[in-house]
Amino acid sequence: MKQILPTTGSVLSMAVVSSLSAGAMAAEGGFIEDTTATLQARNYYFSRDFSDIVGANRQSKAEEWAQGFILNVKSGYTQGPVGFGVDVIGLLGLKLDSSPDRVNTGLLPVQDDGRAANDYSRLEGALKVRYSKTELKVGELQPNVPVLVFSDIRLLPPSYQGASISSNEINGLTLQGGHLKSTSLRNEAGDEKMQAMLGHVPQRQVSSDGFNFAGADYAFNEKRTSVSAWVGQLEDIYNQRFLGLKHSQPLGNWTLGANLGYYDSREDGKKLLGNIDNQAFFSLLSAKRGGHTFYLGYQGMFGDSAFPRVFANISPLGNEVPTYEFAYTDERSWQARYDYDFAALGVPGLTSTVRYITGSNVDTGLGFEGKDRERDLDLGYVLQSGSLKGLGIRVRNVMARSNYRSDIDENRLILSYTWTLL
């Protein structure tokens, strides 16, 4: 159920007051020095042109412009063997430009009349309890684990409501687990049950009020190597297991890297989406020297289903990119990518990425082999001095083509600036 709050001016004031209240609570416990508060302003233009439209949605273009504010307050802990604290998340999104024929960019909520809301907001918190190196959180959460990746890819980030626990009692080993009962989507103010995606297709016909996750990450070899094992369950829809390996190896003037992962996904409980059978393997190899980083990736989908995930999250699949996921049934894809950090030429703050991915062998269910490809170009710059020091500017241009889903030409312009309040 959507919740749209029209009080734009007062919401940010409420958020700041809440941040000061959180700081006061920490001060009473003697930990005001550990309290942090930041406010990020994010200006986001998003344009996606569709051609050769495939599917029920006949909208030919999604284009909107919006301004967002993201408040994050993290208190310190009270004194004693068991410490208590609070985290506060405040979000405010404002419409700058939109129209009914250009909605659904993921920046703004869409009202019942088909128009984007003028504004939307959310102010929530989480109670946290710490004992030794173990922390329990209850309330508004933003988990970032392989089976539920933190997907901050639009104007405002999504969040979840539930409980999570993390422990670092053993050197190098991080254990985490949690139960989530609802979500606040990236362009919504209210809470909703969780839905799934299969490949690139949202499964809106069913939903779940329970997502469970647990896993471990272990870093060793002077933290150059890490291994991961995770399980995730969207109750009555799918369950998923993940194994991962990351390694970084210096070799002369080069640094070689490897990121490998394997997912095994099946239907769960009442099988609300029917049978699910997907095994996904990805590998992303890298070689870095100076400002240059080269990548080569391979990703394969196996089984009778596309890759499942919680809507509308991204995943850590090696070939997951801004527009296409390359995660449909039986798809095989290859990636070539090149990053350059212009600090090597004496221009710190300027970075670039160019990437090309091609996929084939897709089981479309339509009697022909599906194929797709995508080319991405990213340029980013963070001002290094002057009155606007810290202002980030990012430009993204995407061309994506397919013979079984809509072609896309995409442009994004993102400006961001963060103030440190405490």
Side-chain angles (χ1 to χ4, degrees):
M1 179 178 180
K2 297 177 183 177
Q3 177 186 353
I4 298 171
L5 305 179
T7 55
T8 59
S10 62
V11 171
L12 191 56
S13 299
M14 289 172 57
V16 173
V17 169
S18 295
S19 74
L20 296 177
S21 298
M25 291 172 62
E28 292 174 2
F31 283 90
I32 184 64
E33 66 273 16
D34 292 332
T35 299
T36 62
T38 61
L39 177 64
Q40 182 187 89
R42 183 180 293 176
N43 189 280
Y44 209 124
Y45 169 79
F46 183 103
S47 174
R48 184 173 279 182
D49 286 289
F50 303 95
S51 61
D52 191 24
I53 297 175
V54 178
N57 182 15
R58 311 311 296 175
Q59 183 177 323
S60 63
K61 187 173 187 177
E63 182 183 32
E64 292 180 313
W65 181 29
Q67 176 67 48
F69 295 93
I70 304 168
L71 174 74
N72 274 295
V73 180
K74 300 182 183 296
S75 81
Y77 288 91
T78 58
Q79 295 178 346
V82 179
F84 294 87
V86 64
D87 292 344
V88 174
I89 302 171
L91 304 173
L92 172 63
L94 305 173
K95 179 177 71 175
L96 299 179
D97 180 66
S98 178
S99 71
D101 60 335
R102 296 186 280 111
V103 295
N104 291 314
T105 63
L107 299 184
L108 298 164
V110 182
Q111 303 176 117
D112 293 337
D113 62 0
R115 298 180 180 273
N118 290 328
D119 56 87
Y120 64 112
S121 56
R122 184 175 182 84
L123 181 62
E124 297 291 342
L127 174 68
K128 55 187 181 182
V129 183
R130 184 180 67 183
Y131 176 76
S132 184
K133 296 181 180 180
T134 298
E135 183 180 60
L136 171 69
K137 288 187 177 183
V138 179
E140 196 83 356
L141 306 174
Q142 293 179 324
N144 186 22
V145 297
V147 291
L148 192 69
V149 175
F150 180 57
S151 303
D152 189 12
I153 56 175
R154 289 293 195 276
L155 182 70
L156 300 177
S159 58
Y160 295 85
Q161 296 74 48
S164 69
I165 188 169
S166 63
S167 177
N168 296 281
E169 301 293 342
I170 300 175
N171 185 37
L173 177 65
T174 300
L175 303 173
Q176 296 185 67
H179 171 75
L180 310 173
K181 58 184 179 63
S182 59
T183 182
S184 176
L185 297 174
R186 62 196 181 196
N187 62 334
E188 298 288 351
D191 300 344
E192 298 183 0
K193 290 185 177 182
M194 291 163 284
Q195 299 174 330
M197 291 178 67
L198 291 178
H200 63 280
V201 183
Q203 306 297 313
R204 302 183 186 275
Q205 67 273 30
V206 300
S207 59
S208 173
D209 59 2
F211 184 85
N212 304 302
F213 64 93
D217 300 303
Y218 182 60
F220 57 99
N221 190 22
E222 297 180 340
K223 296 187 178 181
R224 293 202 305 266
T225 307
S226 65
V227 292
S228 302
W230 285 86
V231 294
Q233 176 199 30
L234 186 58
E235 292 178 2
D236 293 321
I237 297 180
Y238 75 84
N239 60 71
Q240 191 172 70
R241 290 149 298 283
F242 171 78
L243 295 174
L245 169 67
K246 293 181 180 180
H247 180 69
S248 177
Q249 182 63 50
L251 188 65
N253 294 327
W254 292 83
T255 299
L256 306 181
N259 181 10
L260 311 177
Y262 174 78
Y263 286 91
D264 181 25
S265 306
R266 306 284 178 174
E267 68 277 1
D268 183 74
K270 296 179 181 179
K271 305 180 183 180
L272 296 181
L273 285 180
N275 294 330
I276 294 176
D277 173 29
N278 175 269
Q279 296 79 49
F281 169 77
F282 69 86
S283 60
L284 189 62
L285 307 179
S286 64
K288 183 179 187 303
R289 180 177 180 179
H292 308 274
T293 307
F294 304 90
Y295 296 87
L296 180 63
Y298 170 78
Q299 182 171 293
M301 300 292 128
F302 304 90
D304 298 327
S305 307
F307 182 80
R309 73 191 76 194
V310 174
F311 175 79
N313 283 56
I314 60 173
S315 78
L317 290 171
N319 288 357
E320 172 111 3
V321 285
T323 305
Y324 284 174
E325 301 80 9
F326 298 91
Y328 210 62
T329 308
D330 276 340
E331 183 158 18
R332 314 287 194 268
S333 58
W334 290 89
Q335 174 183 177
R337 170 179 165 178
Y338 171 66
D339 291 0
Y340 188 72
D341 186 342
F342 286 82
L345 290 179
V347 189
L350 180 62
T351 58
S352 66
T353 295
V354 60
R355 172 172 47 203
Y356 182 80
I357 302 178
T358 179
S360 62
N361 199 56
V362 176
D363 182 358
T364 62
L366 301 173
F368 63 89
E369 176 191 358
K371 297 181 179 181
D372 40 26
R373 55 190 171 90
E374 177 172 336
R375 187 270 303 148
D376 305 330
L377 175 62
D378 282 294
L379 289 174
Y381 182 63
V382 177
L383 274 67
Q384 302 294 297
S385 60
S387 59
L388 294 179
K389 181 180 179 180
L391 175 67
I393 306 168
R394 187 165 50 137
V395 178
R396 170 172 289 167
N397 174 264
V398 175
M399 179 205 69
R401 299 291 182 266
S402 173
N403 69 344
Y404 68 98
R405 58 184 294 191
S406 296
D407 295 342
I408 296 174
D409 290 304
E410 180 179 296
N411 289 286
R412 306 188 196 193
L413 173 62
I414 308 163
L415 307 178
S416 62
Y417 187 81
T418 300
W419 291 273
T420 299
L421 305 179
L422 290 174

